[in-house]
Amino acid sequence: MALVTLNTNIEKHYLQHEDDIQPVLVEEPIGWKDNTNQGLSRSKNSDEFISKSAKQIKFIGKGREYIKTSESIYGTKAKIRYIVVRENPEDSYDFFKDVYFLDLKTFKDKSGQIEVKADEGGMALVIKNRKNQKVEYDRETTIDGDSIEKLSTRKLLLAGRRIFLRSILKEEAAKFQLRNGSKFDTRIYLQTPIPVKILSRSHSELKDVYADEFNQQKTKTPNIGSVGLVFFLSAERDKDITVEYDVDFLLKRTTYRGKERGGGLTIDLVVYKDSTDFNLKERIQLYNLENPHSVTSKRIQIQGSQFLELKKGDSVSLEILSHARLGTGFANYSWGRFDWDVEDSNCTINLSEDSEIKPSYTDVVRVHELIDKEVEILTGRRNSFYSELFGRKDLGYEQDGEFSGLTVTNGLWIRGFDSKEDKKPSISLKQIQESLNACCGIGSMIERNGFKERLRIEGLDFFYIPHVTLELPFVVTEIEVTPAIDFLYSNYEFGYKKGGDGYEEATGIGEYNGKASYSNILDHVERNLSVLSEIRGDSSMPEFARRKHKTTHPLDDTRYDMDNVFIDALESETDVLIERKWQHDFDKQPEGIYDPDSATNLRFTPSKMRDRRKLFLASSLYHHQNSSIRFTSSNCNSNLITLSNGIESNEKGDKKVSDYGKPRFKPYWVKFTHPVSYSISKRLRSKVIIDGKERYVFYGMIRYRVAENVYQYGYLFEVKEKGKGEWKVLLANR
């Protein structure tokens, strides 16, 4: 077979400003042949294939005048495409194009020549420069100030996450006094709180209680409480709680003399109503000291539990109520005393609540619409996002993508606010992409369709197609094989930067969407892979945020207000979205979590995020298929177990590498040389049909010969098309 090399003389060069309809034919730039590095390579920041930089080239004649005119009108911001059309040396009707963009920040006009850098530029450059910028959800202008339509949102019903709340109050070895004295033949009551301090808080209504004289209350009728008496102050809403108590103290009589009659001492669990008025609602006697007149010293120990149905505004105390008729009447001023010392007081109160509040609504934006709007804000280009992974039929896609129902919202929206104190929810494109990569396993590219460009995001399989899309005709030479250290890690971390623990509202709530760590057999490699989502995925965050809704807490701030969160959603029979639950994805009810029926985001747990990178995990451990990826630790509830298609997934279970299936590649880089003909260059920029879908040739496998009738396969990472043709591939496991 005759060798056909690329004839660089058979090229045409064009310039075209984005506002011009037709490109302008110009002279070949000086230095194009000698100072360029024509070729393709995978971007280090994504899986996008980009044209290699053409570096500094010099335009003369018509090219120089075109650039000068565009720059004089638009300045260095002018977007000028540099188009190289390469013709088949054997057929002038057969051609392909490479498109670069001129970076006018680098231009230099000297001696009748404009020297300027040409690179991939375009949308890729704009997104690269602006992807870190956070933009507000409700923004109606691009970064450049052009008007755009408002972000399209939907209503989503938050059915509510049932959470088991447990709080603990405790105090040890406390001492306090009961001093009750009077005259006038009056029955006097002394209400004294048993001291406790918050040890673990899952109820915002809790407060510390002290038994000093400032918190005791002397009264003729114990039907009114006070702030100082209660350990549970003003219930935020109607709720059912169980109070478990363990009280142990030594009671000593210090004064029991004078005109005292009919004394008594009880320990009561008391409920007060009417918020700040503290009117008695219920007094539950837990202990009654019989015949106190005869007691000089007594150890009192009581344990038990009490179920309370509280209404909004109710408060709860644990009190010692001592009382007696004191004095001998108005005409006789003799005093009566009924005094005690309490020593070595030990008290523990456990509050538990099966906590659930009525459903509420929040605005959400689906991922596809969110990215599309972000791209428009950053670039000014409408409808410049495409994704089969997140696309839907109603958007014109053939089918709904695997994650088409994934939505994003934020704490303020969940609480019913658009903004609060000039704070508005915002997000950056970088945060979105990195979070989707962590949760869904994605790659991205700038896709060109003619002169139009769009951002494309797909699952990792899109970028590593297990089909041969290009075959090199000759035996390759100068073969060099090295380990692909870039893909080798000894430890992994998957999950979310926020969530799983650290909730101020509750402790030990059993949230399963936090972060988890794993290790593998590669103990000789000191590299860690951390893939964490900036956008939250925990079901606890939306639940705690909505419990501070603006209708009930209009002035309060929460630590979640500016946090963004994913909610896996579905269409319903109405125009309101609903949360995706276990019944939609799993064979049976999940185990290891509290109230599985109200659990959400079960498709985005740390282990499932790990498994979506199986392409890399299985391949990087190609030599160790019988080994396991072992769970080491997590900051969240790792007891969750799910079953899907008969396969059990255990959050804290080990994963055998072979369970991921056949590795897609072997962890080796292979470099070699092979001439790049016109047909190969064109093929590399072409598409093929695989399983009825258009796919890019450069994401498929390359078949090459290392000897006669000895073939190997690889995934392309770089090719330099000039000269002898230099290739770099990741060795495929064919």
Side-chain angles (χ1 to χ4, degrees), residues 77 123 126-127 130-131 133-152 369-384 425-429 432:
K77 195 174 182 295
M123 177 182 272
V126 175
I127 288 179
R130 291 178 169 179
K131 67 180 181 180
Q133 296 188 28
K134 286 188 175 183
V135 298
E136 295 172 349
Y137 278 74
D138 62 353
R139 188 183 180 103
E140 295 186 49
T141 60
T142 67
I143 285 182
D144 296 322
D146 298 325
S147 296
I148 57 176
E149 293 181 3
K150 192 173 182 179
L151 181 67
S152 173
E369 281 83 338
L370 178 61
I371 298 178
D372 191 44
K373 186 56 63 177
E374 286 276 328
V375 171
E376 184 178 4
I377 290 171
L378 299 184
T379 68
R381 307 180 191 190
R382 295 190 63 186
N383 301 320
S384 295
S426 61
I427 198 168
S428 71
L429 183 59
I432 299 170

Side-chain angles (χ1 to χ4, degrees), residues 244-248 301-304 318 346-350:
E244 299 175 74
Y245 52 87
D246 186 345
V247 179
D248 176 9
Q301 295 175 309
I302 60 170
Q303 293 178 329
L318 183 61
N346 303 292
C347 179
T348 301
I349 299 175
N350 282 293

Side-chain angles (χ1 to χ4, degrees), residues 38-49:
Q38 299 168 18
L40 297 171
S41 68
R42 281 194 196 238
S43 167
K44 294 181 179 180
N45 300 317
S46 66
D47 283 297
E48 176 188 5
F49 264 94

Side-chain angles (χ1 to χ4, degrees), residues 7 412 592:
N7 183 347
L412 285 180

Side-chain angles (χ1 to χ4, degrees), residues 298-577:
K298 184 175 180 62
R299 191 85 198 178
I300 296 177
Q301 295 175 309
I302 60 170
Q303 293 178 329
S305 65
Q306 186 69 43
F307 179 75
L308 299 178
E309 296 181 0
L310 301 181
K311 297 296 184 182
K312 182 178 179 180
D314 284 355
S315 301
V316 185
S317 69
L318 183 61
E319 302 176 11
I320 300 175
L321 181 65
S322 57
H323 62 93
R325 286 183 61 193
L326 303 173
T328 58
F330 184 79
N332 189 326
Y333 292 92
S334 297
W335 280 84
R337 303 296 308 176
F338 193 58
D339 299 343
W340 306 81
D341 281 350
V342 177
E343 297 179 359
D344 194 23
S345 175
N346 303 292
C347 179
T348 301
I349 299 175
N350 282 293
L351 291 181
S352 57
E353 176 188 356
D354 185 3
S355 180
E356 182 179 19
I357 66 171
K358 64 181 181 180
S360 61
Y361 295 90
T362 182
D363 287 329
V364 297
V365 55
R366 286 177 287 193
V367 164
H368 194 287
E369 281 83 338
L370 178 61
I371 298 178
D372 191 44
K373 186 56 63 177
E374 286 276 328
V375 171
E376 184 178 4
I377 290 171
L378 299 184
T379 68
R381 307 180 191 190
R382 295 190 63 186
N383 301 320
S384 295
F385 171 63
Y386 184 86
S387 174
E388 294 172 2
L389 190 66
F390 300 104
R392 306 186 307 276
K393 291 179 181 179
D394 62 282
L395 295 175
Y397 292 86
E398 289 185 12
Q399 60 187 19
D400 292 339
E402 181 180 2
F403 302 120
S404 59
L406 190 59
T407 69
V408 179
T409 186
N410 55 80
L412 285 180
W413 284 8
I414 292 169
R415 297 182 62 208
F417 293 97
D418 292 325
S419 63
K420 193 172 187 294
E421 297 174 354
D422 297 325
K423 295 187 298 183
K424 292 187 175 182
S426 61
I427 198 168
S428 71
L429 183 59
K430 181 180 180 181
Q431 288 175 322
I432 299 170
Q433 285 188 261
E434 290 184 352
S435 297
L436 291 175
N437 181 42
C439 291
C440 306
I442 57 122
S444 64
M445 66 177 295
I446 299 299
E447 188 172 49
R448 293 178 175 86
N449 183 12
F451 287 127
K452 292 185 178 181
E453 297 176 292
R454 64 187 181 188
L455 174 65
R456 182 164 188 174
I457 293 177
E458 301 293 354
L460 292 172
D461 282 352
F462 178 89
F463 302 94
Y464 293 86
I465 304 170
H467 297 275
V468 174
T469 54
L470 175 67
E471 184 166 352
L472 302 183
F474 309 115
V475 175
V476 301
T477 58
E478 300 181 40
I479 301 173
E480 176 186 292
V481 181
T482 57
I485 302 299
D486 315 61
F487 296 96
L488 301 183
Y489 298 91
S490 57
N491 298 287
Y492 315 107
E493 186 178 43
F494 298 102
Y496 304 87
K497 292 183 179 180
K498 290 184 178 182
D501 64 358
Y503 301 100
E504 294 179 352
E505 300 84 354
T507 57
I509 61 172
E511 173 57 51
Y512 43 84
N513 278 353
K515 58 186 174 184
S517 298
Y518 307 87
S519 65
N520 62 32
I521 199 172
L522 301 181
D523 54 3
H524 67 295
V525 178
E526 295 184 12
R527 299 182 73 238
N528 300 320
L529 175 65
S530 180
V531 186
L532 300 177
S533 172
E534 178 107 359
I535 300 176
R536 304 178 70 126
D538 52 324
S539 59
S540 298
M541 176 271 189
E543 184 61 25
F544 287 131
R546 77 189 193 92
R547 292 180 181 217
K548 298 284 186 180
H549 200 272
K550 73 174 183 180
T551 56
T552 55
H553 298 77
L555 302 179
D556 290 350
D557 293 327
T558 78
R559 60 206 299 258
Y560 310 114
D561 286 356
M562 302 305 291
D563 285 356
N564 298 300
V565 62
F566 286 125
I567 296 180
D568 204 8
L570 289 167
E571 294 285 351
S572 69
E573 295 179 355
T574 70
D575 60 352
V576 175
L577 298 174

